[in-house]
Amino acid sequence: MLAGTTRQRTGGPGPPGREGSVTARRTGADRPEVRLRTRVVHGHRRAFRMAGRGSAVLLIHGIGDSSSTWAPVIPGLARHHRVIAPDLLGHGASDRPRADYSVGAYANGMRDLLSVLGIERATLVGHSLGGAVAMQFAYQFPERCERLVLVGTGGVGREVTPLLRAASLPGAELVLAALRLPTARLQMRLLTKALQLLDTGLGVDAADLLRVVDALPDAAARSAFIRTLRTVVDYRGQVGTLLDRCYLTQGMPTMLVWGERDQVIPSVHAGIAHVSMPGSRLELFEDAGHFPFHTDPQRFIRTVRDFIDTTEPAGYAPEEWRSMLRGRRPDPRALKLAGTLARSA
């Protein structure tokens, strides 16, 4: 979220790192090999996948997920870009300390990881919670963000699946632990199959939601999940909104990607965000739910590559940023629509 653009395109190999900045080996048919790496930042292990070379693309996953969710699209993007896909703190192979799991803290963590890797600027691609983290990153560190790609992003309106609302309630840790029991797992898999056979909206994402539950194998993982969730969701839905700052995306190339059948964060939020973000591009995946990059990874790769190829990386002009903060206001149409949806949720 920043003012102005620059005509200079980024490209070429990324800066060297201690473990080798080019972490992709070519494995037939020019397919990059993606390896899981770790670095210690502030005393905590941060896991990440990295591949390719060129201008940097940072992929930020959603709540309860990990960098492995991007596996279908990393090789395609890494043929032209240096791709970094971290496991957020408390997720995947990263450490799960008793720590700050807020959106702002995650944005700080992304900045610090990029700094450790010697990467000054990147195009940010954020999914769900990762979209809110990407928007917060662009707000906190506009000089380090070249573009935004927000995929089924959180942080727009209150509406969110009742499953996440329930998971924010007291006692949710016990329920999540019970779901690890063999009988409960079998019942969940049967329910997943039924939802898919009935072609329900939730059935589109049922397998991925079950995968997220399976990715919480111990008490530490479940605690990190709950602590993260409660910073952004309560029994009424999503907490807070970034709509009041969306006008700052003027001059920031921004693309919204959403599945029209998304039941986790409804696709109506795509329209709200599109209205709120000046000059944004909107891409709807007709048959997809909350994970369009799983439903049609090749289309997702083409869409992101086309967006990067047809836009200039944003530039940061402090005086323009200051002017926008002083003189601009949020789009009242978007705020009114968001308020209407919140009251009906």
Side-chain angles (χ1 to χ4, degrees):
M1 301 178 180
L2 69 172
T5 57
T6 177
R7 302 304 300 176
Q8 183 178 359
R9 296 299 298 261
T10 58
R18 286 183 308 230
E19 297 183 54
S21 63
V22 180
T23 61
R25 296 175 181 171
R26 300 299 174 177
T27 57
D30 197 39
R31 182 179 178 83
E33 178 191 18
V34 183
R35 294 193 287 161
L36 184 68
R37 293 176 170 271
T38 61
R39 290 287 181 92
V40 175
V41 183
H42 306 313
H44 302 305
R45 184 181 69 249
R46 309 274 183 150
F48 59 96
R49 287 172 166 82
M50 189 160 65
R53 50 192 305 169
S55 57
V57 175
L58 180 69
L59 306 177
I60 310 175
H61 65 75
I63 190 168
D65 217 331
S66 72
S67 57
S68 64
T69 196
W70 300 108
V73 300
I74 290 178
L77 293 174
R79 292 193 181 100
H80 302 272
H81 302 280
R82 188 183 188 197
V83 178
I84 308 97
D87 288 351
L88 294 174
L89 200 66
H91 295 70
S94 290
D95 281 345
R96 301 181 177 94
R98 180 177 173 80
D100 182 359
Y101 289 115
S102 66
V103 170
Y106 278 133
N108 290 338
M110 295 299 95
R111 182 232 14 221
D112 294 342
L113 178 62
L114 291 179
S115 296
V116 167
L117 297 176
I119 298 171
E120 291 300 319
R121 309 189 74 210
T123 292
L124 271 62
V125 181
H127 173 237
S128 197
L129 171 72
V133 173
M135 284 192 282
Q136 186 70 23
F137 182 103
Y139 173 65
Q140 292 179 193
F141 315 112
E143 72 282 0
R144 305 196 65 168
C145 186
E146 295 188 335
R147 303 171 187 83
L148 278 175
V149 179
L150 305 173
V151 187
T153 186
V156 175
R158 180 179 294 178
E159 286 184 305
V160 69
T161 176
L163 295 175
L164 288 179
R165 295 189 190 195
S168 71
L169 297 174
E173 295 92 337
L174 298 176
V175 176
L176 288 174
L179 292 177
R180 299 288 301 173
L181 297 174
T183 301
R185 290 168 66 85
L186 175 61
Q187 292 174 342
M188 288 178 61
R189 294 189 185 282
L190 291 174
L191 177 61
T192 297
K193 290 293 185 183
L195 291 171
Q196 291 172 335
L197 288 173
L198 293 172
D199 195 29
T200 64
L202 192 58
V204 176
D205 293 316
D208 276 307
L209 297 177
L210 183 60
R211 175 180 55 80
V212 169
V213 173
D214 286 341
L216 304 174
D218 52 40
R222 292 189 290 272
S223 176
F225 172 82
I226 294 296
R227 286 169 66 88
T228 302
L229 179 65
R230 287 174 178 165
T231 66
V232 292
V233 173
D234 63 16
Y235 72 95
R236 293 173 296 179
Q238 293 192 75
V239 177
T241 177
L242 294 173
L243 288 180
D244 58 350
R245 280 157 281 174
C246 279
Y247 67 93
L248 295 171
T249 55
Q250 179 178 332
M252 166 70 70
T254 302
M255 180 169 67
L256 299 155
V257 179
W258 230 285
E260 286 193 347
R261 303 185 67 187
D262 192 340
Q263 297 296 303
V264 177
I265 301 178
S267 59
V268 67
H269 290 202
I272 299 172
H274 185 45
V275 169
S276 304
M277 297 179 175
S280 60
R281 170 175 166 181
L282 176 59
E283 293 285 343
L284 295 175
F285 283 46
E286 295 78 9
D287 298 319
H290 193 52
F291 296 81
F293 52 95
H294 289 176
T295 303
D296 194 343
Q298 293 306 312
R299 177 184 171 186
F300 185 85
I301 292 168
R302 290 194 304 270
T303 300
V304 172
R305 282 189 53 198
D306 177 72
F307 174 66
I308 293 175
D309 289 344
T310 57
T311 56
E312 298 290 339
Y316 175 61
E319 63 280 3
E320 292 186 31
W321 179 263
R322 184 162 44 250
S323 175
M324 284 195 296
L325 287 171
R326 288 174 174 173
R328 293 294 300 275
R329 295 291 183 270
D331 190 316
R333 297 172 299 168
L335 292 179
K336 182 178 179 180
L337 181 55
T340 302
L341 290 171
R343 288 189 294 273
S344 63

